[in-house]
Amino acid sequence: MTIQAYAIDVKNLTKRFGDKLVVDHFDVKVPKGKIYGFLGPNGSGKTTTLRMICGLLTPDEGEGTALGLDIRTEALEIKKRIGYMTQKFSFWEDLTIRENLEFVATVYGLDHKKQRVDEALTKLNLATRQKQLAGSLSGGWKQRLALAACILHDPQLLLLDEPTAGVDPKARREFWDEIHKLAANGLTVLVSTHYMDEAERCHAIIYMSYGKLVTQGSVQDVIQGAGLYTWVVQGENLMSLAATLEKLDAVKTVAPFGDSLHVSGTDADSLKAALTPYFDNPAYDWHQESPSFEDVFIRYMADAEDNFLAKKEAG
Amino acid sequence: MFFSFRRSAAVLVKEFIQLRRDTVTLRMIIMIPVIQLLLFGYALNTDPKHLPTAVLSYDNSPTAHTVIAGLKNTEYFSIEQDIHSEQQGQDLLRRGEVLFVVTIPAGFERDMIRGQSPDLLIEADGSDPVAAAGALSAANGMLQRILNQELTGPLAKLQQSPPAFKILTHRLYNPEGFTRYNIVPGLVAIILTMTGIMMTALAMTRERERGTMENLLAMPISPLEVMMGKITPYVLIGFFQSALIIIAASLLFGVPIIGSLWLFFAALSIFIVCNMALGFTISAAAKNQTQALQLSIMILLPSILLSGFMFPFLGMPIWAQYLGNLIPATHFIIISRGILLKGSTFIDIWPHLWPLLVFMVAITCIAILRYRRTLD
Ligand SMILES: Nc1ncnc2c1ncn2[C@@H]1O[C@H](COP(=O)(O)OP(=O)(O)O)[C@@H](O)[C@H]1O
Ligand SMILES: [Mg+2]
């Protein structure tokens, strides 16, 4: 195998279900040892993309490599070297934690099976529950089991599909600490998520919408690249103000954050001009802020929806 | 394709653990054979006609021809071949190609005219007593009457001097005509079809329905390995159930076991693999467990109705026999009745063993080809 800078390098990935184009000529490049966040609204094709990368779905078009191996022809070799955590819990609920891990260890043909399983149990704090049936675990513990099982064979690449959906903040935190520890040892991670704080913990993010790449890069790059300008307003009766502001052409998104509203637009001057009439109102307190990642995220979501509606009307 | 015993064994162990925790299924595995055995232990009554018969005639007289025509006219006997030796008749009976051998002794007409009441021998395959019973009583009654009508001219006086000849019936293999004897080997086939196909089909669709299939597919394990691991526990269960039925049958009903049990279990293995592979194929076609069950029943029903389990196979219409021949259970029922009740040997069962082998190989190939390696 030649030395590869990218753990994942795929081009033009395309997948149709029936006549529905779910992934549309999509490129992904993830450098080795990095954690990449995979973002996008529900149904945008993230799961489908991850499945194509690990050989669970055959792409209709496009090609590329995972860990330097061709995703079309070397799926079996890829499977040996990657860990894939499915969106829906997919371990056997009528097996205990230990039995699940032992099954995985045997299938991957690991040496010192018992020892490896013991280590994995200790590392993820599962040792005391090892005899519990997987089906009786709560969401957070299930995620831990799934993570333990997909890193058991020391994969070089992890594909995690919404690994922390429905998990409490403490467990999420621990989960991410673990991911960072793994990445520090050279593991590459591509993780799909809906959480902003998780996206901000990634080296870079990839934003996908309706099967297409919208933007990618570090969180800072993405925020700057969005070309978004945000005004923050505090005061009384913000909801009725929000309703009024949303109607303005220069305003792209209005999002409540606690006792304030974030009002964003793509053109600084016209946004300011549009908002000026409201600056003098003593009930409100205005100031400009650099947009948060969440503002950007909301804007991309809104854009995607507009595009989708426009396409629907056209078609 | 690659195969590793270790990976296959991992699936097998997993399957056993899951089965051990599934108490409902475990109970069914034991209860279904026992309950069915008791239920079907009672005779099923049917009155089949046109049963294949061979005639061994040592007398070429008009009277002998009249007798044969008379047998035909009862509609119970379908005279398919003339044979020339007793050995030939015995072979046909043992292979199940005919249900009756009618022997007309030498000098039949002459002895009749002399008033010596010659014997007309009808040997019946008693291992299918339902089929034999109706035909034999028809032979007794109808023949007498037909002869009375046909005997004219110089033979007319014989009408008065009873009896012109005697019909000797001779049941082979199952002299008492016990239906339950016949039911037991058939029941093994039906129970194995039922549990084999359904359990395998469900075991696979369950993985898909619960989402664990995605995980299994993401692991480096080949279809053959998954299939072997999944099937083996159910093969063992199949052996267990068969042994249970045979032991229960011999204890409860005193069913004799005449042939070689080794030969029986060898044929059994082939039959079990046929069913498992069928179940596996069904699971590839079914989207969920409900569909898998429906498809299993679609195979199960003809296996019960057209295999000779319920109705004597040779008494069925020809088109139904053609269909029945495409069902593994049909062949296995003939094989197991042959071995257990008649002591058939390998040579005797071969005509039904090779279709099973062909079926096994074909359906296993289909099962492996149809196994989806991706989620597409
Ligand atoms: N097996 C499938 N058959 C048909 N449609 C599918 C299948 N899998 C996914 N889809 C559709 O493809 C779209 C993208 O799904 P998915 O990749 O799961 O998105 P995401 O993970 O970003 O939420 C959805 O509209 C979904 O309904
Ligand atoms: Mg998804």
Side-chain angles (χ1 to χ4, degrees), chain B residues 67 70-71 120 138-148 165 167:
Chain B
V67 167
L71 280 175
L120 178 75
N140 274 312
M142 303 290 279
L143 251 171
Q144 201 70 50
R145 203 169 68 222
I146 285 164
L147 276 172
N148 288 346
F165 62 89
I167 295 178

Side-chain angles (χ1 to χ4, degrees), chain A residues 17 20 22-23 40-49 51 57 87 161-162 194 208, chain B residues 375:
Chain A
F17 290 115
K20 192 169 162 206
V22 170
V23 177
N42 282 328
S44 55
K46 302 183 295 293
T47 300
T48 308
T49 306
R51 283 175 174 168
L57 287 173
Q87 179 167 355
D161 200 355
E162 297 189 28
H194 287 300
M208 183 183 207
Chain B
L375 293 167

Side-chain angles (χ1 to χ4, degrees), chain B residues 135-187:
Chain B
L136 288 179
S137 64
N140 274 312
M142 303 290 279
L143 251 171
Q144 201 70 50
R145 203 169 68 222
I146 285 164
L147 276 172
N148 288 346
Q149 289 160 6
E150 306 254 334
L151 293 178
T152 49
L155 296 175
K157 64 175 166 52
L158 291 174
Q159 285 184 17
Q160 266 63 39
S161 55
F165 62 89
K166 294 195 295 264
I167 295 178
L168 276 189
T169 57
H170 188 179
R171 283 173 196 269
L172 298 171
Y173 311 124
N174 178 9
E176 295 92 346
F178 275 6
T179 300
R180 16 184 136 98
Y181 284 12
N182 200 30
I183 280 295
V184 169
L187 199 58

Side-chain angles (χ1 to χ4, degrees), chain A residues 14-58:
Chain A
T14 301
K15 184 76 191 175
R16 291 180 189 86
F17 290 115
D19 52 5
K20 192 169 162 206
L21 192 54
V22 170
V23 177
D24 185 3
H25 299 90
F26 188 72
D27 300 351
V28 192
K29 275 188 178 186
V30 181
K32 284 199 167 155
K34 298 287 183 200
I35 302 175
Y36 267 46
F38 198 6
L39 281 74
N42 282 328
S44 55
K46 302 183 295 293
T47 300
T48 308
T49 306
L50 293 177
R51 283 175 174 168
M52 284 193 282
I53 294 171
C54 64
L56 284 179
L57 287 173
T58 324

